[in-house]
Amino acid sequence: MYNEIDLDIIDINSELPAEEPSRQYYFMAKCRRWVKDFEQKNGRFPKACVTTFGCQMNARDSEKLTGILENIGYQVTDSEEADFVIYNTCTVRENANNKVYGRLGYLNAYKKTHPHMKIALCGCMMQEPHVAQRIQKSYPFVDLVFGTHNLYKFPELLASALEADKMVIELWEGTEQIVEELPVERKYTFKSGVNIMFGCNNFCSYCIVPYVRGRERSRSPKDILREVKQLARDGVVEIMLLGQNVNSYGKTLKEPITFAELLTEIEKIDEIKRIRFMTSHPKDLSLELIRVMASSKKICNHLHLPMQSGSSRILEKMNRRYTKEQYLDLAGRLREAIPHLSLTTDIIVGFPGETEEDFEDTMDVVRKVGFDSAFTFIYSKRTGTPAASMEDQIPEEIVKNRFDRLLREVQEISAQRAKRLTGQVRTILVEEVNSHDPSLVTGRLGNNSVVHIPGDASMIGTFVDVTLEECKGFYYYGKPITTA
Ligand code: 5AD
Ligand code: SF4
């Protein structure tokens, strides 16, 4: 675990520290006392389950929640039949919210037979005022609600919830603060996400993220490099730099630094062999970054570059600040500069006012760029965003029809592109034993494609050169050549 803290040396009868993160260590020690009492009474440690919805940022936040719970003494489990269950929620599309409401029903049923159980909700969905109101009104069995800005206060909030007999709610509208040095439990030993910035300033007209994650804040390069070096010492070989818009990293720091410069610094850390990042906004992607990617030995040949729509008219209504032609030009430059680059994207279908012609523009870009893969989304109306009040919302059946056509096109193109590597030798980082067939292990190429090869658990976390024998559309079957 990164930043394991010796809680037993903290005196919880002493004065509460005012500074962070010491204040949170104090509350962790307090919760540890509660855990020990639980263990004495019940003859076992309490179990905790962290369930994550949504993106890589949320996954990373969940690793922080898990790190704190483990440090306190909870036994972390995947089963929601636990003493403490926390949902780290997403709200980027409406169906993410519906999933949470649905699952809360099941949790309530379990809690009825286990009344000591505590249920907590955090993350993006909680930052929406109407959600917090609904939880209070219709889900009174929830014990703790907090948001994205005060996640670092989890130990303090947990301590309150363990003592309280009514719902503890703490939601902040925003924060300037970035608290470092809290424990983190990584899901994988050999790879890790690293936050480089929080929030987003772009206000794409359909997107709720700027409202729930707040304004853009970059971590200092010093803190990021310290964390990456520590991860490297712990055996991490691949890192994923995380931010809503990594290309604008560093612009607001006292001593501004570009994202490309940050990458160059990280590249110097010997033990780190692969560097990934996510997400890039086309409007901020610099020529400097393309140059750095092209000359790097470690930055993976994968770029996720959400285009959202291929129609300049819709892009303007989306407030994306680039045109169809600019996106095509950028994709062309990237492909030219970086050999074997895998370009992936996000596309929204059915944005208000989207005509058949606009949709054809999207299909045109899809064909011209030839994405290696694309996440396709049906536009979801998010309360409070400018697009939600735009006229001309598109009828469901038209959206569904376009969505199906787009999906077919995207899948066909990505299968064609994937096939091009068949027979070639490439390096994979082995991630896990295959869940369907234990005689196989599963790894990823630099371009992020999945490869299954014969092997066993001892190979996890190692780089293996493989021949890509058979392409199955989205993944490959391969054979190892040598083990590095
Ligand atoms: N409706 C549908 N898709 C959305 N996304 C963001 N907001 C919405 C919305 N309101 C998609 C975008 C973004 C991805 C993370 O989610 O494509 O890139
Ligand atoms: Fe949302 Fe646009 Fe920010 Fe991405 S860049 S998080 S789509 S507002």
Side-chain angles (χ1 to χ4, degrees), residues 55 92-93 206-209 279 304 306 308 320 346-348 375 377-382 385:
C55 67
V92 78
R93 285 169 293 274
Y206 51 82
C207 185
I208 198 144
V209 168
T279 290
H304 187 65
Q308 314 298 4
R320 291 290 288 178
D346 292 342
I347 303 169
I348 298 176
F375 294 107
F377 304 108
I378 286 180
Y379 166 72
S380 169
K381 192 171 171 175
R382 310 310 292 127
T385 61

Side-chain angles (χ1 to χ4, degrees), residues 200 202-204 206-207 209-210 244 281 308 320:
C200 181
N202 287 321
F203 289 96
C204 300
Y206 51 82
C207 185
V209 168
Q244 301 294 350
H281 194 306
Q308 314 298 4
R320 291 290 288 178

Side-chain angles (χ1 to χ4, degrees), residues 49-62:
C49 175
V50 181
T51 302
T52 312
F53 299 84
C55 67
Q56 307 253 10
M57 300 280 264
N58 258 21
R60 183 65 178 156
D61 284 349
S62 288

Side-chain angles (χ1 to χ4, degrees), residues 313-379:
R313 201 180 71 84
I314 294 293
L315 286 168
E316 194 178 346
K317 287 180 76 180
M318 286 177 161
N319 192 29
R320 291 290 288 178
R321 284 169 278 174
Y322 54 85
T323 60
K324 172 183 182 183
E325 288 69 31
Q326 284 167 328
Y327 189 93
L328 282 170
D329 180 60
L330 186 57
R333 281 170 195 257
L334 283 158
R335 280 257 156 82
E336 203 179 286
I338 306 163
H340 308 298
L341 177 72
S342 165
L343 253 183
T344 61
T345 200
D346 292 342
I347 303 169
I348 298 176
V349 179
F351 184 83
E354 184 188 73
T355 61
E356 182 60 24
E357 205 185 336
D358 293 319
F359 176 69
E360 277 305 330
D361 271 332
T362 297
M363 293 285 265
D364 188 43
V365 179
V366 164
R367 290 185 198 111
K368 285 196 170 124
V369 174
F371 291 108
D372 294 80
S373 94
F375 294 107
T376 50
F377 304 108
I378 286 180
Y379 166 72

